[in-house]
Amino acid sequence: MTAAGDRREAIIAKIRLGLGAYDSPVRRATVARRLANPAQPLVPERAKKQTDERRVQLRAFLEGQSATFIEVATAADVPVAIGRFLRSTNLPLRVRAGDDAYLRGLAWQKEPALERLSGPAQGTDEVGLSHAVAAVAETGTLVLASGADNPVTLNFLPETHIVVVEDKALVGGYEGAWEKIRARFGRRAMPRTVNFVSGPSRTADIGGQLVMGAHGPRRLCVILVRG
């Protein structure tokens, strides 16, 4: 820092001390109170929809971003939906997933031809399978938290990404997504990474030509479990 910057900081520090606003018991108590009971942020109107409207929002945004959107009635229907999607896109009946308890407990016996591999994505994997911690209706965005249960490599390495999201994880805006993350990991705890995914990877940086899969999956399939 320059000498002028040092003088500025010294002046500001004196003002704070004079106002009692610099490392004072009152200031510390105020900060602790706000951390314990954070004020509600401003939320745009389009993020205040009811559940049925949120589903419509999420579908509209994702399909508008070239994703495939599938709704199923219960979790037991997910394996069949995955198999149907893979067959419709001429992909092998093979997916790579992490150690997610929800995905592990699905009724995989309903789709016996589907092979499931476990662990972080490998270079030969064509399809990754993840369980989203939340989905933001106002922008059609999936929120994916990293960890052994949902390795972050599954989000980007395979050319096809299938994401399962539960109806209870569907929120109006990003504020609700962070609440879901705090509820899952606890206050003052976070996963190593949180990825926000809105549709398949794409870019038009070179020559204005749209290219799919430039930085990640070229296909995205979202399965919303309503039950």
Side-chain angles (χ1 to χ4, degrees):
M1 186 178 291
T2 65
D6 290 337
R7 289 194 297 271
R8 178 178 178 276
E9 289 298 317
I11 292 170
I12 292 174
K14 288 182 179 180
I15 293 172
R16 286 174 175 165
L17 286 171
L19 294 173
Y22 186 78
D23 200 25
S24 66
V26 174
R27 183 176 177 83
R28 285 179 175 272
T30 300
V31 171
R33 185 169 59 254
R34 288 181 179 177
L35 287 173
N37 298 288
Q40 291 298 311
L42 294 174
V43 178
E45 285 300 318
R46 74 174 186 173
K48 297 179 181 179
K49 307 293 185 181
Q50 298 301 312
T51 301
D52 288 343
E53 293 175 297
R54 288 178 182 177
R55 294 192 196 104
V56 174
Q57 277 184 309
L58 185 69
R59 174 187 285 273
F61 275 108
L62 284 169
E63 290 182 341
Q65 295 155 355
S66 302
T68 298
F69 189 87
I70 300 170
E71 287 189 41
V72 296
T74 68
D77 301 318
V78 171
V80 173
I82 292 174
R84 188 178 297 120
F85 168 74
L86 294 177
R87 291 185 180 94
S88 71
T89 51
N90 293 319
L91 287 166
L93 291 175
R94 185 185 305 112
V95 298
R96 171 82 66 173
D99 193 33
D100 186 88
Y102 180 84
L103 296 180
R104 193 171 61 245
L106 296 176
W108 295 107
Q109 69 275 11
K110 290 190 173 184
E111 189 57 82
L114 183 62
E115 180 183 0
R116 290 180 293 127
L117 307 174
S118 181
Q122 306 297 313
T124 54
D125 292 333
E126 295 187 60
V127 184
L129 174 63
S130 300
H131 180 206
V133 68
V136 181
E138 71 164 318
T139 56
T141 301
L142 304 169
V143 183
L144 301 157
S146 65
D149 52 349
N150 288 280
V152 71
T153 50
L154 296 175
N155 305 346
F156 301 107
L157 190 55
E159 286 204 339
T160 299
H161 192 198
I162 301 174
V163 180
V164 178
V165 59
E166 300 169 76
D167 210 37
K168 66 181 182 181
L170 180 55
V171 298
Y174 286 91
E175 296 81 6
W178 290 113
E179 289 175 3
K180 294 292 184 183
I181 292 172
R182 283 193 290 268
R184 177 173 173 179
F185 292 92
R187 288 191 175 276
R188 302 190 183 186
M190 286 283 290
R192 171 170 283 186
T193 63
V194 176
N195 296 119
F196 293 85
V197 175
S198 300
S201 170
R202 65 177 68 195
T203 183
D205 291 344
I206 302 175
Q209 298 297 313
L210 180 64
V211 177
M212 303 296 289
H215 312 104
R218 66 174 64 247
R219 300 183 197 88
L220 175 66
C221 174
V222 179
I223 301 176
L224 177 68
V225 182
R226 295 184 60 152

